[in-house]
């Protein structure tokens, strides 16, 4: 999907507005997991999530051509929907974002804060996505997918930072929504010639990617009901699955209770806030036997509504 030269150029581009995020080993977290655990802190970006990197790369490519007069349209549960207006605002490109009913109020406010027009449509992400694609087909907008070459190359810059900092990781755990994050990690690992195994993580309640990985072909699910909204997808991307099928060691399912436990563990041992998807890597590592290993945990974002966070810290699951 990209060469090392292209990845380095994209890293230079991303780092003009998004500083490299730290990869840190937290002693108490490592002790709790029984392994040397290195956390890639993508919760420390300007939008609090890794998606910003893809937005910067996508918009940069877009402005090299003729931006659509009607602007851009996309669908999201929140972080992708922040990344596009974050990058587009520098060029005064309007961004229309569709979110499903019941979406995070704080993520909706953040998207609007970056300049997006946020509209509620559909019962879940995939219904919002289909509607965004339909409107783009009329020619009014240009549709911004959640998985594409420039988005993946952009988010892959965090993997380059992580592997450059800690080259001898045994395993990296990566949450999966539409797949740009894990595909970036796989592709960078292969570019660097590393032997690190890459493990994807999904919610038990939104496991279309896990089912597709195990079956060897695309399987869609009827629901994707999890408070870890960054992983709440019913329809996998065929392009993403082609990379995951080839490069992932396995795809692990975690429950919402596992994720809530991981959010509490991350906060108590590092005082970092993780959203549901952001804690999924830690949740998966806690379920596997990783004793004595050196593992990477991608904390993909920290954008969790304060009422959910309060509920979790109080010992319950949203």
């Amino acid at each position: 999907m990209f060469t090392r030269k292209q990845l380095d150029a994209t890293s230079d581009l991303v780092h003009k507005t998004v500083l490299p995020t730290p990869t840190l080993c937290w002693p108490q977290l490592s002790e709790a997991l029984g392994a040397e655990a290195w956390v890639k802190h993508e919760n420390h970006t300007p939008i609090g999530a890794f998606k910003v990197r893809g937005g910067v790369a996508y918009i940069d490519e877009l402005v090299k051509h003729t931006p659509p007069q009607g602007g851009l349209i996309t669908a999201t549960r929140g972080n992708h929907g922040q990344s596009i207006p974050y990058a587009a605002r520098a060029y005064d490109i309007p961004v229309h974002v569709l979110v499903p009913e019941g979406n995070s109020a704080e993520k909706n406010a953040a998207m609007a804060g970056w300049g997006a027009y946020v509209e509620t449509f559909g019962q879940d992400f995939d219904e919002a996505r289909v509607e965004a694609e339909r409107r783009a087909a009329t020619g009014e907008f240009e549709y911004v997918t959640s998985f594409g070459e420039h988005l993946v190359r952009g988010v892959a810059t965090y993997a380059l930072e992580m592997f450059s900092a800690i080259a001898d990781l045994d395993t990296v755990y990566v949450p999966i929504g539409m797949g740009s994050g894990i595909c970036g990690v796989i592709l960078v690992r292969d570019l660097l010639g590393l032997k690190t195994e890459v493990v994807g993580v999904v919610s038990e309640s939104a496991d279309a990617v896990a089912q597709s990985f195990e079956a060897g072909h695309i399987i869609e699910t009827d629901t994707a009901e999890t408070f870890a909204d960054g992983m709440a997808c019913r329809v996998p991307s065929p392009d993403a699955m082609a990379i995951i099928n080839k490069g992932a060691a396995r795809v692990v399912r975690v429950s919402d209770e596992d994720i809530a436990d991981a959010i509490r563990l991350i906060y108590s041992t590092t005082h970092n806030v993780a959203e549901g998807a952001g804690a999924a890597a830690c949740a998966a590592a806690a379920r596997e036997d990783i004793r004595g290993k050196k593992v990477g945990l991608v904390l993909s974002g920290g954008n969790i509504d304060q009422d959910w966070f309060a509920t979790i810290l109080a010992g319950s699951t949203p």
Side-chain angles (χ1 to χ4, degrees):
M1 186 173 278
F2 49 78
T3 65
R4 177 61 191 271
K5 182 178 180 180
Q6 290 173 320
L7 179 60
D8 287 340
T10 302
S11 291
D12 291 341
L13 167 70
V14 169
H15 291 158
K16 290 179 181 179
T17 54
V18 180
L19 295 177
T21 60
T23 304
L24 302 175
C25 184
W26 297 91
Q28 291 178 324
L29 180 61
S30 293
E31 182 179 0
L33 295 175
E36 185 177 323
W38 290 85
V39 179
K40 182 53 172 165
H41 282 286
E42 289 299 282
N43 57 316
H44 291 180
T45 74
I47 70 165
F50 78 103
K51 292 282 191 176
V52 66
R53 300 169 181 268
V56 170
Y58 177 89
I59 296 297
D60 177 74
E61 182 65 20
L62 180 70
V63 298
K64 293 176 181 177
H65 308 289
T66 303
Q69 294 301 310
L72 306 174
I73 190 168
T74 194
T76 188
R77 290 302 304 265
N79 291 334
H80 173 69
Q82 288 190 68
S83 72
I84 301 304
Y86 171 88
R89 64 191 179 128
Y91 303 97
D92 295 321
I93 300 172
V95 179
H96 195 108
V97 178
L98 299 187
V99 301
E101 295 177 10
N103 201 56
S104 160
E106 293 179 23
K107 285 183 177 178
N108 289 352
M111 289 182 274
W114 292 117
Y117 175 77
V118 181
E119 177 187 348
T120 299
F121 185 94
Q123 298 296 312
D124 60 20
F125 163 75
D126 288 289
E127 288 190 4
R129 173 186 56 78
V130 170
E131 174 64 11
E133 292 173 346
R134 186 195 67 79
R135 296 188 192 183
T138 68
E140 182 180 1
F141 302 101
E142 178 169 321
Y143 176 64
V144 184
T145 181
S146 295
F147 187 92
E149 177 183 353
H150 297 290
L151 291 174
V152 174
R153 190 191 306 173
V155 302
T157 61
Y158 86 66
L160 180 61
E161 292 169 10
M162 178 176 62
F163 286 129
S164 296
I166 314 295
D168 56 346
L169 292 167
D170 295 307
T171 306
V172 175
Y173 292 89
V174 192
I176 305 175
M178 289 304 293
S180 63
I182 187 172
C183 289
V185 172
I186 290 169
L187 293 169
V188 173
R189 177 205 58 190
D190 293 348
L191 274 179
L192 298 179
L194 302 175
K195 301 300 182 183
T196 304
E197 69 171 7
V198 177
V199 177
V201 188
V202 300
S203 167
E204 288 181 352
S205 301
D207 69 341
V209 168
Q211 291 191 41
S212 300
F213 180 81
E214 292 159 359
H217 59 84
I218 298 295
I219 293 180
E220 301 179 8
T221 55
D222 294 329
T223 60
E225 297 177 357
T226 171
F227 83 87
D229 50 6
M231 301 192 295
C233 304
R234 292 188 291 105
V235 183
S237 161
D239 291 339
M241 288 308 308
I243 297 171
I244 295 168
N245 288 340
K246 182 179 179 180
R250 57 193 173 279
V251 177
V252 177
R253 296 170 176 84
V254 293
S255 69
D256 276 9
E257 289 73 22
D258 293 332
I259 294 170
D261 285 342
I263 290 174
R264 287 187 285 269
L265 178 62
I266 290 168
Y267 187 73
S268 66
T269 58
T270 78
H271 278 176
N272 276 266
V273 177
E275 62 184 274
C282 180
R287 292 188 63 165
E288 298 205 320
D289 183 3
I290 58 172
R291 288 172 295 181
K293 292 186 177 181
K294 182 181 289 189
V295 301
L297 308 176
V298 177
L299 202 172
S300 58
N303 298 322
I304 185 170
D305 282 12
Q306 58 183 321
D307 56 346
W308 279 6
F309 190 52
T311 295
I312 290 168
L313 291 185
S316 298
T317 301

